[in-house]
Amino acid sequence: MNARLPPAWSKHLKAQPAPKAQPPKAKLSRAQADDALLRQALELQQANRLPEAEELCHRVLARTREHPLALYILGTLGLGFDDELSIKYFARAVSQAPQNPYFHFSLGDTYLKVGEHTLAIRHLQRACELRPDMVEALCALGRAHLEFDETDIALSLYEKVLKTNNDYPFVRTGLASALTSLGRMDEAAAYLKESIERRFDLPSAYSAFVTTRKFTEEPPELESILRELSKPNLEPVSAQRLHLAAGKVLDDLQRYGEAMEHFQKGKSAAGYNFNIESHRRWVDSIIDFFSPEMLAAASGYGNPSEVPVFVVGMPRSGTTLTEQICTSHPEVHGAGELTKLRRIANAIRFTSRAAGVLQGSITSITADLSKAMAEEYLSYLRQRAPAVLRIVDKFPHNFQRIGLIGILFPNARIIHCQRDAIDNCVSCFMSNLDKGHSYAADLRTLGLYYREYDRLMRHWKAVLPGRIFENRYEDLISDQEGQSRRLIDHLGLTWDDACLRFFEKDGAVRTVSRWQVRQPIYKSSVNRWKNYEGKIQPLIEALGDLAET
């Protein structure tokens, strides 16, 4: 079944009695004709003929305004292409059929995808009230609470799913994710082993299992992963996850040649493509537009709040470690990797690659609009921690939006995490990053992308002098207390010794670094790239002089 279709989609259509024989010229009623078209639209969607399915839905809406199922199908057609548009269609469907649990589920699930956790929880909760045995909604609600730092609620929901339907294939990986975020690795591993034994959500289960520990001897799961990889006709995403899982185990075992072979195969299986030339032109346009004069003209815009703290940098550069140190302070809350600023930026087409669109999007920001945008973001932050002095948003790729941050939040703290360029890129290449990081699919493109990141960060430091705190991973490793004190001082807070014991901190960690940040500072990640020195020449050549710093 097409992955874009919701679970049990046929239930959304009212059951129809078998058609009675009609006289040759008898016409269908409008409702019957609408249902016939929508059934056809669903069949076209299953066949991946999406434009034709969309056209039939619009035909229904042209004669039956706000038809809930037509709106709903249009919402499902947009998933993964334009989630914001899908939200609008689902919301209209819910307004027309507020007692339909599937409409609430799809709206809540899509809100969750874009990071609107409060709204996601509201609609997923309503879906569960309307259909208490709807395990898809219960699991999605658990995931929403987990991402909203309400891990205890998430755990209870996953446990409820186990009692409701012990055979639901995704519940154990969800439960393990919640347990892993809390550092309860052995419990998580037990659920993942059970999922593996029952062949439920197998690639995801293996992918999660290998992150629950560092292996010092070969586990039996490695042979199982390799056996799965030997099977023909693996789906690309399954092959990707299994290869990266095998690579992680082999890296732990210091079998680096075999590990790199699997990392390369995993990245190749994903089939991602990244247009580095288009990206370079986009960085050019950002640098050209965000000049000192432009930023000076926006003086007085936004909100003077000192609450937001933005931790930025490349993935795998130490952003999670930095957040954990900061949020061990009693006056700091860690909100994790929030996509809210990106969503606000997308609303004004800030990320568009089209010529002239970027300049138009920024010049459209008036003083009043900047205040409204800032207030929307601050309200979102305050939902998580109403009383603390600082809230950390550690979405790494906000480094692309530092100019916008400077306009919206002139007093916000910005922490830039840096790491040895080769170490950073090799770690990215080894990690199971999603399609949003398609630049990491091959070593040469990854190196060229890193150069563009570095070029953009040099620009931000030039046009916003004194605003960005440089936090080098290697400095944290060599002088943990000194660098930690400088971090807390940058936040404008008094020192607290708890910041040295970040690994004892309660609370969830939801990034790929969640095992590492439960450990004291260790030095094994410094110069790790040398284990792969003979395998990464395309990366080193692409980095050029940055590989020498």
Side-chain angles (χ1 to χ4, degrees):
M1 183 177 288
N2 189 300
R4 220 195 304 281
L5 292 176
W9 61 266
S10 59
K11 298 176 185 177
H12 303 300
L13 285 167
K14 294 179 180 178
Q16 298 289 332
K20 296 179 180 179
Q22 296 286 344
K25 294 186 179 180
K27 291 184 179 180
L28 294 174
S29 68
R30 176 185 289 185
Q32 290 173 322
D34 287 346
D35 275 1
L37 285 175
L38 294 176
R39 286 177 185 277
Q40 187 180 351
L42 286 165
E43 291 170 2
L44 289 168
Q45 185 178 21
Q46 277 190 292
N48 208 32
R49 293 163 61 182
L50 306 185
E52 296 167 79
E54 181 181 10
E55 192 273 333
L56 289 181
C57 291
H58 283 299
R59 279 174 57 185
V60 170
L61 290 173
R63 65 188 183 194
T64 308
R65 293 186 60 191
E66 300 300 293
H67 190 294
L69 185 57
L71 293 168
Y72 178 81
I73 297 171
L74 285 171
T76 67
L77 291 172
L79 292 174
F81 294 112
D82 189 341
D83 289 335
E84 300 290 347
L85 183 60
S86 290
I87 285 171
K88 292 176 182 176
Y89 280 126
F90 288 143
R92 286 167 63 186
V94 164
S95 70
Q96 296 300 310
Q99 300 303 308
N100 187 309
Y102 297 97
F103 293 0
H104 282 283
F105 165 68
S106 293
L107 178 57
D109 197 45
T110 312
Y111 271 131
L112 182 55
K113 287 178 182 176
V114 301
E116 289 289 348
H117 299 101
T118 301
L119 291 169
I121 289 169
R122 179 189 305 169
H123 288 284
L124 291 169
Q125 181 67 52
R126 184 60 180 145
C128 294
E129 291 167 357
L130 291 165
R131 184 74 186 271
D133 63 344
M134 190 176 178
V135 291
E136 301 96 337
L138 284 167
C139 274
L141 184 58
R143 192 166 66 253
H145 281 292
L146 176 61
E147 293 184 12
F148 199 61
D149 271 345
E150 296 175 334
T151 314
D152 289 343
I153 299 175
L155 286 172
S156 68
L157 286 162
Y158 286 124
E159 288 164 358
K160 183 177 180 180
V161 173
L162 277 178
K163 293 176 183 177
T164 303
N165 182 354
N166 189 51
D167 294 327
Y168 184 61
F170 306 111
V171 61
R172 289 169 180 80
T173 46
L175 185 53
S177 178
L179 291 166
T180 301
S181 75
L182 293 172
R184 294 162 60 178
M185 301 299 182
D186 290 342
E187 294 171 75
Y191 278 111
L192 292 166
K193 283 187 174 182
E194 188 176 339
S195 188
I196 289 166
E197 288 167 4
R198 301 184 68 175
R199 302 191 63 80
F200 288 160
D201 197 16
L202 204 56
S204 295
Y206 277 123
S207 180
F209 174 76
V210 300
T211 67
T212 61
R213 68 197 62 200
K214 186 176 179 68
F215 296 93
T216 55
E217 56 185 43
E218 183 174 321
E221 287 77 14
L222 177 59
E223 183 180 349
S224 302
I225 292 169
L226 297 178
R227 188 164 52 248
E228 292 297 323
L229 282 168
S230 69
K231 294 179 179 178
N233 303 318
L234 273 179
E235 292 185 356
V237 68
S238 298
Q240 176 196 18
R241 289 174 178 168
L242 291 168
H243 275 299
L244 294 178
K248 193 273 181 188
V249 176
L250 291 162
D251 177 77
D252 284 351
L253 299 175
Q254 301 180 15
R255 291 159 59 179
Y256 300 118
E258 295 170 80
M260 179 54 74
E261 183 178 346
H262 281 286
F263 291 137
Q264 290 174 328
K265 287 180 178 178
K267 295 297 182 179
S268 176
Y272 297 155
N273 291 304
F274 186 81
N275 189 330
I276 190 66
E277 291 303 325
S278 173
H279 179 71
R280 186 177 286 124
R281 290 192 295 269
W282 184 70
V283 172
D284 286 341
S285 65
I286 291 178
I287 290 173
D288 289 343
F289 186 69
F290 282 98
S291 65
E293 294 77 18
M294 178 268 171
L295 291 168
S299 177
Y301 278 32
N303 188 299
S305 173
E306 296 185 48
V307 170
V309 177
F310 296 93
V311 174
V312 304
M314 283 287 287
R316 312 297 292 146
S317 62
T319 56
T320 302
L321 174 59
T322 300
E323 181 197 39
Q324 285 292 101
I325 292 170
C326 292
T327 58
S328 295
H329 194 287
E331 293 294 346
V332 183
H333 175 76
E337 297 186 2
L338 303 179
T339 56
K340 182 64 174 179
L341 187 66
R342 182 179 66 183
R343 194 171 182 224
I344 290 172
N346 287 346
I348 60 168
R349 302 186 70 190
F350 177 81
T351 54
S352 174
R353 260 57 173 176
V357 173
L358 175 64
Q359 181 172 347
S361 73
I362 300 300
T363 54
S364 70
I365 301 178
T366 62
D368 287 342
L369 178 58
S370 73
K371 287 176 170 52
M373 293 166 69
E375 183 55 41
E376 180 182 350
Y377 180 82
L378 285 171
S379 296
Y380 182 83
L381 281 189
R382 282 301 193 193
Q383 292 172 4
R384 286 157 171 75
V388 299
L389 295 179
R390 305 285 183 266
I391 301 177
V392 178
D393 176 349
K394 64 157 293 267
F395 189 68
H397 274 71
N398 276 336
F399 77 78
Q400 297 176 335
R401 290 172 277 274
I402 289 178
L404 184 62
I405 291 170
I407 293 172
L408 299 184
F409 301 107
N411 295 322
R413 270 71 173 183
I414 303 169
I415 299 170
H416 174 216
C417 294
Q418 269 191 303
R419 183 180 177 187
D420 174 86
I422 310 178
D423 271 338
N424 197 166
C425 289
V426 168
S427 187
C428 285
F429 191 72
M430 293 164 57
S431 298
N432 187 17
L433 301 176
D434 63 24
K435 191 175 182 179
H437 303 277
S438 56
Y439 56 83
D442 74 84
L443 290 167
R444 180 178 178 276
T445 302
L446 177 55
L448 294 175
Y449 181 90
Y450 190 95
R451 290 193 66 84
E452 293 307 304
Y453 142 77
D454 181 76
R455 183 164 68 103
L456 185 56
M457 284 308 307
R458 290 176 189 273
H459 173 72
W460 294 136
K461 285 181 275 189
V463 298
L464 293 168
R467 288 291 310 277
I468 302 171
F469 179 83
E470 292 296 329
N471 186 46
R472 285 198 63 87
Y473 179 78
E474 291 78 12
D475 292 340
L476 268 176
I477 301 302
S478 63
D479 182 17
Q480 178 189 353
E481 180 170 352
Q483 190 67 359
S484 297
R485 285 182 176 274
R486 287 186 284 273
L487 272 171
I488 300 304
D489 184 63
H490 177 67
L491 300 186
L493 301 173
T494 56
W495 174 251
D496 192 292
D497 284 341
C499 298
L500 293 178
R501 300 187 303 277
F502 63 89
F503 49 89
E504 298 174 355
K505 180 179 177 291
D506 292 331
V509 180
R510 296 178 299 278
T511 71
V512 292
S513 306
R514 53 190 176 266
W515 182 85
Q516 291 95 324
V517 298
R518 298 291 181 187
Q519 320 302 317
I521 291 246
Y522 57 93
K523 299 182 179 180
S524 59
S525 291
V526 177
N527 289 326
R528 187 181 180 192
W529 66 268
K530 290 186 177 180
N531 297 322
Y532 294 96
E533 189 167 5
K535 307 284 186 179
I536 56 171
Q537 200 57 35
L539 168 66
I540 295 173
E541 291 175 359
L543 284 170
D545 60 328
L546 296 181
E548 302 166 5
T549 57

